[in-house]
């Protein structure tokens, strides 16, 4: 089962995250084979959160992954979103033909309810990861999460159907993992 985890930074936690950097890396190294995508979000140069898309056995394992993470345990994050996710592209970010660098990258999260939207993958060579956010049992559509390369935040937002989501967030994002 695939899960989308988004840890949002607590204000003023940059120093704590820097202090815990190696602990975070070592923790993520334990999930190297399960990770589909990962990386920090930003506003300008300031980190605002951390995305992890991971393939784990069940919702309990996904919550343990998200909440046992050292930055979370130390209080660096203000909240965590953990949702079941379906890998509509069937690949990891490391398989993205555009590579790790070149162009601006974004995380787009659309939150909704009811009948699913944007279930078909758009014809877009700049998609890095794409899929619906789902309830724990995989039955209810709760939104869509996308990682992509785009010219700007407005172009990134345009990947989701306008007026179909209760809220849409767009964050600057970059490939994570040890370099």
């Amino acid at each position: 089962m695939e899960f989308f985890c988004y840890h949002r930074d607590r204000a003023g936690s940059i120093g704590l995250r820097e202090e815990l950097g190696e602990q975070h890396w070592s923790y993520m190294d334990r999930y190297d084979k399960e990770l589909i995508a990962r990386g920090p979000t930003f506003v300008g140069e300031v980190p605002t959160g951390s995305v992890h898309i991971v393939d784990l056995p069940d919702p309990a394992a996904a919550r343990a992954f998200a909440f046992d993470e050292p930055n979370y345990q130390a209080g660096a994050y203000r909240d965590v979103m953990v949702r079941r996710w379906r890998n509509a592209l069937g690949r990891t970010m490391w398989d993205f033909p555009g590579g790790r660098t070149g162009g601006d990258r974004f995380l787009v999260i659309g939150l909704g309810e009811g009948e699913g939207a944007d279930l078909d993958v758009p014809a877009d060579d700049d998609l890095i990861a794409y899929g619906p956010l789902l309830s724990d049992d995989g039955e209810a559509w709760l939104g869509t999460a996308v990682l992509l390369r785009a010219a700007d935040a407005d172009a990134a937002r345009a990947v989701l159907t306008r007026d179909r989501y209760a809220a849409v967030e767009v964050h600057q994002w970059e490939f994570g993992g040890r370099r």
Side-chain angles (χ1 to χ4, degrees), residues 91-160:
R91 66 177 188 221
T92 72
M93 72 178 201
W94 296 277
D95 300 321
F96 172 59
R100 292 180 66 100
T101 60
D104 293 329
R105 313 298 173 99
F106 296 90
L107 163 65
V108 180
I109 304 171
L111 301 175
E113 63 181 338
E115 185 178 339
D118 300 316
L119 298 175
D120 295 326
V121 177
D124 188 333
D125 292 338
D126 288 324
L127 296 176
I128 299 165
Y130 186 97
L133 297 168
L134 305 166
S135 59
D136 279 356
D137 64 7
E139 296 298 319
W141 175 84
L142 303 175
T144 307
V146 184
L147 296 171
L148 76 159
R149 180 174 53 192
D152 56 37
D154 289 337
R157 165 60 181 93
V159 75
L160 298 182

Side-chain angles (χ1 to χ4, degrees), residues 10-160:
R10 182 175 48 80
S13 67
I14 293 171
L16 181 58
R17 285 193 62 189
E18 289 172 354
E19 178 184 323
L20 296 169
E22 184 54 39
Q23 289 179 40
H24 168 78
W25 289 103
S26 294
Y27 182 81
M28 289 300 149
D29 287 347
R30 295 175 20 204
Y31 293 93
D32 187 54
K33 302 256 187 277
E34 292 83 9
L35 284 163
I36 295 166
R38 65 187 290 188
T41 58
F42 297 89
V43 170
E45 298 294 317
V46 178
T48 59
S50 194
V51 174
H52 298 95
I53 302 175
V54 63
D55 189 355
L56 294 168
D58 55 46
R63 284 189 280 283
F65 166 81
F67 297 115
D68 289 345
E69 194 277 335
N71 288 322
Y72 178 81
Q73 288 292 310
Y77 299 128
R78 69 176 168 94
D79 62 64
V80 180
M81 175 192 300
V82 179
R83 295 285 182 269
R84 187 117 172 244
W85 185 78
R86 187 172 59 244
N87 188 351
L89 297 177
R91 66 177 188 221
T92 72
M93 72 178 201
W94 296 277
D95 300 321
F96 172 59
R100 292 180 66 100
T101 60
D104 293 329
R105 313 298 173 99
F106 296 90
L107 163 65
V108 180
I109 304 171
L111 301 175
E113 63 181 338
E115 185 178 339
D118 300 316
L119 298 175
D120 295 326
V121 177
D124 188 333
D125 292 338
D126 288 324
L127 296 176
I128 299 165
Y130 186 97
L133 297 168
L134 305 166
S135 59
D136 279 356
D137 64 7
E139 296 298 319
W141 175 84
L142 303 175
T144 307
V146 184
L147 296 171
L148 76 159
R149 180 174 53 192
D152 56 37
D154 289 337
R157 165 60 181 93
V159 75
L160 298 182

